[in-house]
Amino acid sequence: MLLGSRTAYTVGLILLLLLLLASVSLPARSVAQIDPVTLAPGFEATTRPGSLFADPLNVPDFVDAFSGPVAMAFDWRGRLFVGTYPGRILILLDNDGDGRADQVKTFASGLLIPLGLEFRANGDLFITSNLLRGVGRIIRLRDTNGDDVADQITTIIDNLPSQGAHQTNKLKFGPDGLLYFSQGSSTDNGTPAVNEPPEGPLNATILRVDVDSPTPQAEVFATGLRNAFGIVFHPENDQLFATDGGSGELGQVPDISPLEEVNWIVQGGKYGFPGCEGVPVPVADNPACAGVRAPMTTFGQHLTPTSITFYTGPQAGDSRNQMLVTLFKHLPGRGGDLERFILTGNATSGFQTTQVLPAIAEFGLIDPNDGPVDTAIDPISGDIYVARFDPVNHADPNEHHHFIYRIHRTGSDSLPFIGPPRPSAIKAGSSGVTISIITRHVKPGAVVFDVSDNVALATRQGSSSFELLADLPASLLATERTITLEVRNPGDVGSNQQMFMVTKGDPGPPPVDKAPQLTSMFVYKKKRARVIEQLFVGMNAKKFRLVVSGTDFDSGAQLLVNNVALGLESVSATELVAQLTNEMVAAPGDLTVQVRNSTGKTSNTLKLTVSP
């Protein structure tokens, strides 16, 4: 069980196949039923199945009970990755920009119960996975050839204690570069039930791990968190915050279950489980409260707070960095919504929250046991995506409420949006550069505009419907400066603005999230510094240098010839220089030349011929 007590009514996100409700059939409803979603003034969304961003009608994986979305994350290109309960990682694409996914790709499968998805800056996707035999894992997924299918699946940490009431939950990279994740408790209230394991040292904690270590080990960061399902770092002050679901069963009389929480998480902090949960002011005469940090915000019993994030992006406006929390359960008059809070304070004096009413969205009661489980914000547009999970069997297989809502500011769909340009900087005096910009809501004829110089740039379609390519000529790159960019639709409707830096020195390799690309190569003789037109068998290859040019080479890139890494003499984001070896010219034939980044992503192939 993930989030709540063990009764049928409070099952919430019970994701074990032994869930009692898995065999219960509910009365069928028409799939065209309007989902009773209430939105705050200034927000809009489609709410009818068949027009949502994703539902069982356009995502086949959402058709059955336990098959729906449990985690989401956007990559740097603004593509939504979704983890489903059975362990498929999907890419949901809206190619025509109408707000509904029209293409579903399978990135990976067989990764059971991936409750957390998180991209690293280099493009690696990390997930949590929970096997039915009670083992939690942290897994890294890589797509090394850019075909949108993970071809490297590596277990970073295995045998996490997920055999009890809760599992290995969500995960986030911290400002220190370490990966943080939440590990649920083994018991409901600290006392093991029959055939249930007791609490272990890693249960009811937030853990962190150095994923680059040759022997990654989970380190306890904070304790006393029964089920810190959602975790997030503040985008500006870098502090860690987490939700926590409380113990106890719905329906007991009197109901003495604790309140549920949002906590500010500090290293070494104790948060009250078991025995001091949901207490706004820890009770001094309760031994379980000794040294416990009080929650920052509490919710009513059994509401089950799930995801937590901060409102960012171009639509946030004066609500920027508000704390957004989803409540899974919808009890009479309470819960089932996307709540928002203003966060004040600092790491010295502490943090306080002020609730903003009304909630951004109230997801009305369709069934008592399904609700929102995760939230992700499109980094390009700032649209808010909320995943709803339904673990209940229905007589009509089309009635499973596995939904992904897209919530946005009223009128924002008529405006173009853009992400940061790639590359984001270039050395002054360069001969020119082509930049890539990921967009939303651009129309045919849209132009990338250099606002700083009042110049429309040569613009063309990129490799997808939401990518534009634009050329910055040498005349704009002569001196150190900042260039302001925007995209303008026909009719002069402008997007948000992004910055491109022309730097005094070499800006160095850009952050790389995609496979490197080779554009050209040549060989020269080092001593005489002249280009060699042809290689022949038996040459003294150690006198020659291979130079390859392209894009998106990272600082750890390797130059491969026939899949053998050469010794590098020079590395930049666009050029690698390496010494050839005599073994490579020992026989006639074609040599394959590629670049492989430190992420494992590999470029296209060029051929270097050795003549007889």
Side-chain angles (χ1 to χ4, degrees), residues 18 65 68 79 87 185 230 238 241 270-271 306 325 360 385 398 469 526 594:
L18 296 179
R79 304 184 306 167
S185 65
D238 293 336
F241 301 88
K270 296 171 57 180
Y271 293 90
T306 48
V325 178
I360 290 179
Y385 288 72
N398 293 320
L469 301 178
K526 184 176 182 181
Q594 293 177 291

Side-chain angles (χ1 to χ4, degrees), residues 50-107:
S51 60
L52 301 174
F53 179 79
D55 56 47
L57 295 177
N58 67 335
V59 182
D61 293 79
F62 289 5
V63 168
D64 300 318
F66 295 103
S67 67
V70 290
M72 301 184 295
F74 281 94
D75 70 358
W76 70 269
R77 285 189 280 177
R79 304 184 306 167
L80 183 63
F81 284 64
V82 178
T84 69
Y85 169 79
R88 293 169 73 89
I89 309 299
L90 308 176
I91 308 175
L92 303 187
L93 300 176
D94 174 16
N95 293 299
D96 60 10
D98 67 351
R100 180 167 173 80
D102 49 39
Q103 185 178 10
V104 180
K105 296 183 177 183
T106 298
F107 184 69

Side-chain angles (χ1 to χ4, degrees), residues 172-481:
K172 294 290 180 184
F173 275 99
D176 54 6
L178 302 179
L179 183 63
Y180 291 70
F181 61 98
S182 50
Q183 180 66 48
S185 65
S186 177
T187 69
D188 174 57
N189 59 9
T191 302
V194 177
N195 298 322
E196 187 175 75
E199 302 294 347
L202 299 185
N203 285 115
T205 63
I206 289 179
L207 306 169
R208 66 180 180 181
V209 60
D210 179 1
V211 299
D212 295 319
S213 169
T215 56
Q217 299 291 326
E219 172 193 2
V220 175
F221 186 76
T223 61
L225 294 146
R226 176 179 176 271
N227 199 32
F229 193 72
I231 64 174
V232 66
F233 285 91
H234 192 281
E236 293 183 358
N237 62 38
D238 293 336
Q239 296 299 303
L240 178 61
F241 301 88
T243 62
D244 193 16
S247 59
E249 299 194 8
L250 186 65
Q252 59 184 327
V253 180
D255 193 341
I256 59 172
S257 303
L259 301 176
E260 312 209 306
E261 308 172 347
V262 172
N263 290 286
W264 169 35
I265 307 297
V266 300
Q267 186 171 8
K270 296 171 57 180
Y271 293 90
F273 176 83
C276 190
E277 301 173 71
V279 180
V281 180
V283 181
D285 59 359
N286 180 357
C289 290
V292 167
R293 300 179 65 89
M296 191 172 60
T297 296
T298 57
F299 301 105
Q301 300 157 311
H302 316 296
L303 293 183
T304 315
T306 48
S307 68
I308 180 171
T309 191
F310 286 96
Y311 195 9
T312 57
Q315 294 182 43
D318 57 7
S319 300
R320 180 176 179 82
N321 293 337
Q322 283 186 358
M323 186 176 73
L324 308 183
V325 178
T326 52
L327 298 176
F328 180 77
K329 294 190 180 68
H330 192 297
L331 304 180
R334 302 181 298 156
D337 51 14
L338 175 63
E339 299 207 354
R340 49 182 169 166
F341 300 84
I342 295 172
L343 185 70
T344 55
N346 55 59
T348 301
S349 61
F351 292 95
Q352 303 80 42
T353 58
T354 302
Q355 187 173 11
V356 179
L357 295 174
I360 290 179
E362 181 181 344
F363 303 100
L365 181 65
I366 300 178
D367 289 326
N369 295 308
D370 68 48
V373 295
D374 204 9
T375 305
I377 296 178
D378 184 338
I380 311 300
S381 68
D383 290 352
I384 303 170
Y385 288 72
V386 180
R388 180 173 190 154
F389 180 72
D390 178 6
V392 179
N393 268 337
H394 297 271
D396 181 350
N398 293 320
E399 272 301 299
H400 296 293
H401 308 126
H402 300 312
F403 297 158
I404 297 179
Y405 305 88
R406 182 182 70 94
I407 302 169
H408 55 99
R409 294 285 191 174
T410 301
S412 63
D413 277 358
S414 65
L415 303 175
F417 294 99
I418 63 173
R422 297 176 69 87
S424 59
I426 197 169
K427 184 178 179 179
S430 296
S431 59
V433 64
T434 297
I435 58 174
S436 167
I437 297 179
I438 305 300
T439 69
R440 294 286 187 268
H441 309 311
V442 297
K443 297 179 179 180
V447 174
V448 179
F449 207 82
D450 170 5
V451 178
S452 303
D453 302 292
N454 198 31
V455 172
L457 304 179
T459 304
R460 56 196 179 276
Q461 191 73 48
S463 59
S464 70
S465 60
F466 40 83
E467 180 185 31
L468 291 179
L469 301 178
D471 298 323
L472 279 167
S475 59
L476 302 178
L477 308 175
T479 59
E480 182 182 7
R481 61 195 293 249

